[in-house]
Amino acid sequence: MTEEKNTTPLHGSNVAREQIPAACKWHVSDIYAGENDWQAACEEYKSKLPQLQAMQGQLNTAAAVCAALKLQEELAKLLDKIYAYARLQQDADNTDQKLQALAGEAEGMAAAFSNANAFVEPEMLALGKEKLLQMLDEESALAEYRFYIENMVRLSDHVLSADKEAVFAQSHLATGTAAAAFRALVSADMQFPEITDGQGNKTSVSEGCYLLNMTSPDRVLRKNSFIGLMNTYHQYRNTLAATLTGSARTGYFYATVHNYKDTLEAALAEDNIPSSLYDGLIDTVHDNFAPLHEYIQLKKDVLGVDEFHYYDMYMPISNAGDSFACSFPEACAKVEEALAPLGKEYLTALHKGMTEGWIDVYENKGKRSGAYSWGVYGVHPFVLLNYQPRYNSISTIAHEMGHAMHSYFSSQAQSYVNSEYTIFCAEVASTTNENLLLEHTLKHATAEQKIYLLNQFLEAVRTMVYRQVQFAEFERYIHGEITAGRSLQAEKLEEYWLQSNRDYYGPALTVDKELASEWSRIPHFYTPFYVYKYATGYSAATAFASAILSGEAGAVEKYLGFLHAGGSDYSLNILKNAGVDLNTPQPVTVTLQKFAAKLKELKALKALLGK
């Protein structure tokens, strides 16, 4: 579908912000009418902050605790609006020096708040578990803080005395050196080589253009990009093994000092996740290697190559993405149609968000790249886009509005302290929308478009489930080495990584020696045991979408319950109440079974078209 005339304004990296029509910009005036109101809010915040600081040393009664929590919440809500008003505008136009100054002022106030309220939790914990829980029963005004306080009590055995925690807080600058060294080496000091493409033209490879090169139809460019990048990392393999060792040892140090048996237990404790879930996730994926092996074989067959190398992995099976081109209003209509199964309440809020100034639509000079959703409690979410007429941009609308609806319903249903959902749950709502959009679009697509869409889904599962679990398994290995008192040797890491790729991708993949260096370029490994959340979130979303589209009794109501729950309970409990139990293999199994079914559908289409 082509874009309708006069629906798309002039936009792009050279178009000034003021040239973008107001109807295509988010309404930051919904937070504060103007800068004078923002400054007034800043003054109010600054006048009230000393009142919180003055409470230090006085949290010894239920009334005092309640008063501190209420004031802390009032300041936090105010700060959220102050910070959002400044940062949203800066992200929309980083060329504006005045907006940069506003954002800097807001960041200073955020730092002041962190310092001012640092005493609250230590003083509450000093009262003891029994007294804190007793206060919940005695002081009705503390009712909305029940989950917050009970969770604090749960973690209290892992909180040290205030003076020790203060020392550890100061130590983070020093112990963060390994991760900082990795970032400096990769982003500043590494010199990537000049390479040639299939026509003999000289070009470059770097982390910035690597994935783009890997999707090019020029196989020589892909190969040279792969070899050039991986060989560069290989030159620094001992240094990178040392930085990873340092980061992993830091994690183990903080874990054991805080009375956890290892880094895994410490990392999972924040969300109250059992280690059995982590291990079960890896086991379930291992049990479902066969469909991934079959998919790699299909990619090899479609590309018509004698050997399928890792530099062929990201090559798309279809390039029909641009055939979905449409205007932004048309894209929004498509998303609304696709999400119709979620019911009237959801669609009413979704349409409101799409038409009443929640979204900043088009690229302009100085605008931040990519896309995000930013919830502002007591106002509404804001969504940053850089819309382009292709399927990926339509999917991005569905994705970011999924986050926005999660924030919107959560803030409508929950008090401030219970409204913020966890990172563990964050990608569920967005990916559920992606799944619903895909299934809806498939129903109305041409055969070539279906091949594109099916490939999109298969690649999403490959990268968000299989690949992230591969990363998670690697993390379990490296942290196990540290727990056992060993350091990480580059040669052993390379051997492990090569074997891991053989296991995950199967016999159709020719495993080149250069692939051995890939582990050393993954920044997520410097944030221990984080990546598994991508796989669990994607699996939960697929399970939700499957239940909704199959007409399972109560599925929509349960899903809306999940969106309304926010952060009012532990993530696993919220998901389980909504019908997705991640303590069992079922959600991951459903996802990988869907992967196998879509693969079968793709193969049948390919055979039908003689491709």
Side-chain angles (χ1 to χ4, degrees):
M1 185 181 294
T2 57
E3 292 205 38
E4 294 180 354
K5 293 180 180 179
N6 302 321
T7 61
T8 302
L10 183 68
H11 64 279
S13 59
N14 294 317
V15 176
R17 176 72 176 170
E18 55 266 24
Q19 291 181 262
I20 304 293
C24 302
K25 298 176 182 177
W26 49 26
H27 297 173
V28 291
S29 57
D30 291 347
I31 307 176
Y32 296 113
E35 191 178 335
N36 288 339
D37 288 349
W38 182 80
Q39 291 289 358
C42 291
E43 293 306 313
E44 180 187 357
Y45 168 82
K46 290 173 184 176
S47 69
K48 288 183 176 179
L49 193 61
Q51 297 175 26
L52 180 63
Q53 293 169 310
M55 293 179 173
Q56 187 166 356
Q58 299 179 17
L59 305 191
N60 46 26
T61 66
V65 167
C66 188
L69 291 176
K70 292 286 186 184
L71 181 56
Q72 182 185 42
E73 180 177 317
E74 181 184 349
L75 287 165
K77 284 194 283 191
L78 191 56
L79 180 61
D80 281 357
K81 293 171 67 176
I82 289 170
Y83 190 74
Y85 182 83
R87 271 297 307 278
L88 289 170
Q89 292 188 88
Q90 183 191 21
D91 284 352
D93 187 1
N94 281 282
T95 66
D96 191 318
Q97 298 295 313
K98 184 179 179 181
L99 296 179
Q100 290 183 27
L102 291 185
E105 189 176 346
E107 286 168 2
M109 285 186 277
F113 179 69
S114 295
N115 291 330
N117 74 357
F119 73 93
V120 176
E121 289 194 5
E123 285 196 21
M124 289 174 65
L125 289 171
L127 297 172
K129 296 180 186 179
E130 290 185 8
K131 187 168 184 179
L132 271 177
L133 295 175
Q134 184 180 347
M135 285 180 175
L136 283 174
D137 296 327
E138 293 176 349
E139 180 59 68
S140 59
L142 284 174
E144 68 181 276
Y145 300 100
R146 176 171 290 277
F147 176 65
Y148 166 75
I149 292 173
E150 288 178 346
N151 190 44
M152 191 193 311
V153 168
R154 176 182 68 85
L155 294 169
S156 62
D157 288 341
H158 305 285
V159 178
L160 306 181
S161 61
D163 58 336
K164 288 181 179 178
E165 289 292 355
V167 171
F168 285 124
Q170 294 177 34
S171 73
H172 282 288
L173 278 177
T175 56
T177 301
F182 167 79
R183 290 191 296 270
L185 178 62
V186 171
S187 61
D189 293 343
M190 271 191 182
Q191 296 298 312
F192 294 99
E194 188 175 66
I195 60 172
T196 56
D197 62 18
Q199 285 72 48
N201 300 315
K202 291 182 178 180
T203 185
S204 61
V205 64
S206 66
E207 281 292 353
C209 67
Y210 175 66
L211 274 181
L212 183 64
N213 288 359
M214 292 287 275
T215 60
S216 169
D218 184 340
R219 198 176 190 217
V220 173
L221 175 63
R222 298 202 306 270
K223 179 179 180 179
N224 290 342
S225 297
F226 171 75
I227 292 173
L229 190 89
M230 295 302 171
N231 280 347
T232 303
Y233 277 93
H234 185 74
Q235 294 173 28
Y236 299 93
R237 63 179 187 154
N238 294 314
T239 299
L240 291 166
T243 58
L244 191 56
T245 297
S247 179
R249 282 178 174 164
T250 296
Y252 184 65
F253 167 70
Y254 284 120
T256 53
V257 163
H258 286 91
N259 304 314
Y260 294 104
K261 71 174 184 178
D262 56 24
T263 311
L264 176 62
E265 185 180 66
L268 299 184
E270 182 180 357
D271 289 319
N272 199 23
I273 306 294
S275 298
S276 58
L277 183 150
Y278 195 93
D279 294 333
L281 173 65
I282 295 171
D283 290 343
T284 302
V285 167
H286 273 246
D287 291 341
N288 289 274
F289 276 162
L292 180 59
H293 294 177
E294 190 178 345
Y295 176 53
I296 301 304
Q297 181 64 55
L298 174 64
K299 295 197 80 168
K300 179 182 178 181
D301 294 342
V302 170
L303 291 178
V305 294
D306 292 333
E307 290 185 345
F308 183 87
H309 296 263
Y310 197 79
Y311 50 80
D312 299 316
M313 188 70 73
Y314 290 89
M315 186 63 193
I317 288 176
S318 168
N319 294 307
D322 290 347
S323 68
F324 294 94
C326 61
S327 67
F328 178 72
E330 289 173 325
C332 289
K334 289 177 184 291
V335 171
E336 290 191 58
E337 289 172 14
L339 302 185
L342 295 177
K344 184 178 179 180
E345 180 187 12
Y346 191 97
L347 286 181
T348 300
L350 178 68
H351 186 74
K352 179 184 177 72
M354 287 176 163
T355 57
E356 296 187 11
W358 293 17
I359 305 176
D360 204 84
V361 182
Y362 296 109
E363 181 184 20
N364 58 253
K365 186 177 181 180
K367 186 175 179 180
R368 173 175 165 162
S369 62
Y372 67 64
S373 172
W374 187 319
V376 181
Y377 190 89
V379 185
H380 59 69
F382 291 83
V383 172
L384 180 139
L385 299 176
N386 285 277
Y387 182 77
Q388 297 292 333
R390 58 178 63 100
Y391 181 79
N392 281 345
S393 277
I394 303 172
S395 185
T396 299
I397 295 171
H399 181 103
E400 297 303 338
M401 290 307 292
H403 286 307
M405 291 299 98
H406 199 176
S407 298
Y408 175 78
F409 286 123
S410 172
S411 64
Q412 293 287 308
Q414 301 296 333
S415 62
Y416 178 81
V417 72
N418 292 321
S419 64
E420 188 172 351
Y421 47 84
T422 64
I423 297 295
F424 190 88
C425 287
E427 294 303 323
V428 176
S430 56
T431 311
T432 298
N433 279 8
E434 284 187 44
N435 271 272
L436 294 174
L437 175 67
L438 176 88
E439 295 294 348
H440 175 77
T441 310
L442 275 169
K443 291 179 181 177
H444 306 282
T446 66
E448 188 59 43
Q449 287 178 329
K450 285 181 179 179
I451 290 173
Y452 171 84
L453 293 167
L454 291 169
N455 187 46
Q456 285 285 107
F457 173 78
L458 295 172
E459 278 297 296
V461 176
R462 182 184 73 78
T463 55
M464 295 296 288
V465 181
Y466 282 112
R467 183 167 166 81
Q468 300 306 322
V469 172
Q470 182 189 18
F471 287 177
E473 189 173 0
F474 180 75
E475 285 193 278
R476 188 174 66 177
Y477 165 70
I478 61 174
H479 287 282
E481 291 292 286
I482 296 302
T483 301
R486 293 185 285 269
S487 61
L488 304 176
Q489 303 299 318
E491 187 175 345
K492 286 186 177 180
L493 294 175
E494 289 176 343
E495 291 172 357
Y496 184 98
W497 194 254
L498 286 176
Q499 187 56 50
S500 176
N501 278 277
R502 293 187 190 100
D503 292 341
Y504 273 75
Y505 293 110
L509 176 67
T510 297
V511 178
D512 299 299
K513 61 181 177 59
E514 288 85 2
L515 186 56
S517 299
E518 191 188 26
W519 64 268
S520 65
R521 62 179 285 264
I522 310 299
H524 274 121
F525 293 155
Y526 292 82
T527 306
F529 301 109
Y530 178 88
V531 294
Y532 84 98
K533 296 177 185 179
Y534 290 117
T536 54
Y538 195 95
S539 298
T542 306
F544 275 132
S546 296
I548 291 164
L549 291 175
S550 67
E552 185 178 303
V556 172
E557 291 74 17
K558 288 178 182 177
Y559 178 67
L560 292 177
F562 161 75
L563 297 181
H564 284 78
S568 59
D569 198 350
Y570 296 118
S571 301
L572 288 182
N573 292 345
I574 291 173
L575 287 164
K576 186 176 181 179
N577 289 338
V580 175
D581 188 356
L582 282 167
N583 276 313
T584 72
Q586 193 261 352
V588 181
T589 301
V590 165
T591 302
L592 300 183
Q593 286 174 343
K594 184 175 180 180
F595 179 91
K598 294 299 186 190
L599 175 60
K600 184 177 180 181
E601 193 176 337
L602 176 58
K603 291 176 77 171
L605 264 174
K606 282 289 194 182
L608 182 66
L609 297 178
K611 294 189 176 184

